[in-house]
């Protein structure tokens, strides 16, 4: 049985003081919700402060990126070892990393392996761009991204995958529940081929891209969709708490 999962990705938003304020605004509301794994991914510079604030809560912490080396002369980078002291999760292969910072599938693969060997749980993001979607290449792209990212990965039991069509991220144009569910089912089929059916069945796959409190129900009503990776709407306490609340309610009902 897959535990529903909702993560907020704050991206490059919030000063440390703003991050602390936002945590205070959502902490009680989120903490109370049961039956959903709740994760917040603030910017690197706020991880220490937020880690302390979340310590006695049921909310877990994630980073938004990392380098694949453990330590050394890599000026400006943050390593999985450093993060392992603070976080349980790390977002890897987000489309903004891929398209603004040139992260290839091979780099994402190195990062996935480095995260797992440092006891960090990757939230691996995959998803096609608009032109690829329009050319009918969604499956091809997602298959390549998943297969390469997980090449020579021994175990995927700590992995979460987020299907985030690039055209839906930050655009207000979310995919439909059906579209998302169909691609997520396809990803599960890919995983079943790479490992086996029961491993694929146990792995959580989220939808991400313009998720709000107004459309979350459409996604999580699909049994294939295990939760959401939320960008913009995770910066508003009330919005985010409502998204997690609805997930708990609807998933509780499905099961
Ligand atoms: P969005 O971002 O919710 O603002 O579209 C989602 C994401 O990038 O993870």
């Amino acid at each position: 049985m897959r535990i529903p999962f909702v993560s907020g990705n704050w991206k490059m938003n919030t000063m440390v003081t703003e991050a602390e304020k936002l945590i205070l605004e959502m902490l009680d509301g989120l903490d109370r919700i049961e039956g959903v794994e709740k994760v917040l991914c603030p910017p690197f510079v706020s991880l220490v402060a937020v880690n302390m604030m979340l310590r006695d809560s049921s909310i877990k912490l994630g980073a938004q990126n990392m380098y694949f080396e453990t330590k050394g002369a890599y000026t400006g980078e943050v390593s999985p070892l450093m993060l392992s002291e603070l976080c349980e999760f790390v977002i890897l292969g987000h489309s903004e990393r891929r398209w603004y910072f040139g992260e290839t599938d091979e780099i994402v693969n190195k990062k996935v392996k480095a995260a797992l060997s440092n006891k960090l749980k990757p939230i691996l993001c995959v998803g096609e761009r608009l032109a690829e979607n329009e050319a009918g290449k969604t499956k091809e792209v997602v298959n390549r991204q998943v297969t390469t990212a997980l090449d020579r990965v021994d175990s995927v039991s700590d992995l979460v995958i987020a299907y985030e069509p690039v055209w839906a991220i930050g655009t207000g144009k979310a995919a439909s529940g059906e579209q998302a569910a169909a691609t997520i089912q396809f990803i599960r089929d890919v995983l079943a081929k790479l490992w086996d059916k029961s491993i694929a069945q146990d792995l959580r796959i989220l939808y991400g891209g313009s998720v709000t409190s107004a459309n979350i129900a459409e996604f999580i009503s699909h049994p294939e969709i295990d939760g959401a990776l939320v960008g913009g709407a995770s910066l508003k306490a009330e919005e985010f708490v409502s998204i997690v609340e609805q997930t708990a309610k609807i998933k509780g009902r499905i099961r």
Side-chain angles (χ1 to χ4, degrees):
M1 195 170 70
R2 304 189 295 263
I3 297 168
F5 187 105
V6 178
S7 176
N9 170 14
W10 292 2
K11 308 195 180 186
M12 198 174 74
N13 296 294
T14 67
M15 313 279 281
V16 179
T17 45
E18 291 169 333
E20 289 170 335
K21 188 165 167 272
L22 192 50
I23 292 291
L24 281 180
E25 285 169 9
M26 54 174 78
L27 186 61
D28 288 345
L30 278 184
D31 199 22
R32 249 184 272 127
I33 306 167
E34 289 177 358
V36 177
E37 194 160 16
K38 302 156 279 188
V39 180
L40 290 172
C41 303
F44 284 136
V45 294
S46 294
L47 286 176
V48 173
V50 173
N51 169 283
M52 291 203 306
M53 295 179 81
L54 296 184
R55 207 156 264 179
D56 297 318
S57 80
S58 57
I59 305 153
K60 296 170 177 177
L61 190 58
Q64 299 172 16
N65 179 36
M66 52 162 241
Y67 193 49
F68 50 75
E69 294 290 351
T70 308
K71 60 180 172 181
Y74 302 101
T75 302
E77 291 297 316
V78 174
S79 87
L81 183 63
M82 295 169 185
L83 292 178
S84 66
E85 223 176 27
L86 297 167
C87 303
E88 185 169 334
F89 291 90
V90 59
I91 297 173
L92 295 177
H94 190 280
S95 66
E96 285 147 20
R97 299 294 322 165
R98 293 177 191 262
W99 303 116
Y100 299 151
F101 302 99
E103 273 189 24
T104 60
D105 290 325
E106 287 71 24
I107 293 174
V108 176
N109 175 241
K110 285 187 181 179
K111 291 187 173 188
V112 168
K113 287 188 283 196
L116 289 171
S117 54
N118 285 281
K119 307 231 171 334
L120 284 170
K121 299 173 180 168
I123 302 171
L124 169 66
C125 301
V126 298
E128 81 288 1
R129 305 175 90 174
L130 183 61
E132 292 164 334
N133 180 282
E134 287 172 348
K137 290 188 171 162
T138 299
K139 287 185 176 175
E140 186 188 316
V141 170
V142 166
N143 181 27
R144 190 202 67 226
Q145 289 175 332
V146 170
T147 307
T148 314
L150 300 182
D151 185 36
R152 275 167 286 166
V153 169
D154 299 329
S155 162
V156 287
S157 56
D158 281 340
L159 192 84
V160 175
I161 293 183
Y163 168 57
E164 301 203 303
V166 181
W167 45 270
I169 296 179
T171 57
K173 291 187 198 127
S176 71
E178 273 84 57
Q179 276 176 314
T183 307
I184 285 173
Q185 184 56 57
F186 172 74
I187 294 173
R188 215 174 282 291
D189 295 343
V190 170
L191 294 166
K193 261 184 235 147
L194 291 174
W195 276 274
D196 67 52
K197 232 181 174 163
S198 81
I199 289 175
Q201 271 313 318
D202 288 347
L203 200 143
R204 285 168 300 174
I205 311 182
L206 322 174
Y207 167 74
S210 296
V211 169
T212 64
S213 64
N215 66 15
I216 182 69
E218 177 177 352
F219 298 105
I220 47 167
S221 312
H222 287 271
E224 300 82 19
I225 306 181
D226 298 312
L229 181 54
V230 185
S234 70
L235 290 163
K236 295 176 212 136
E238 223 175 291
E239 261 294 284
F240 191 63
V241 172
S242 165
I243 289 169
V244 180
E245 239 159 25
Q246 292 184 56
T247 303
K249 243 181 239 158
I250 295 172
K251 285 298 184 194
R253 220 178 294 142
I254 292 176
R255 278 195 253 126

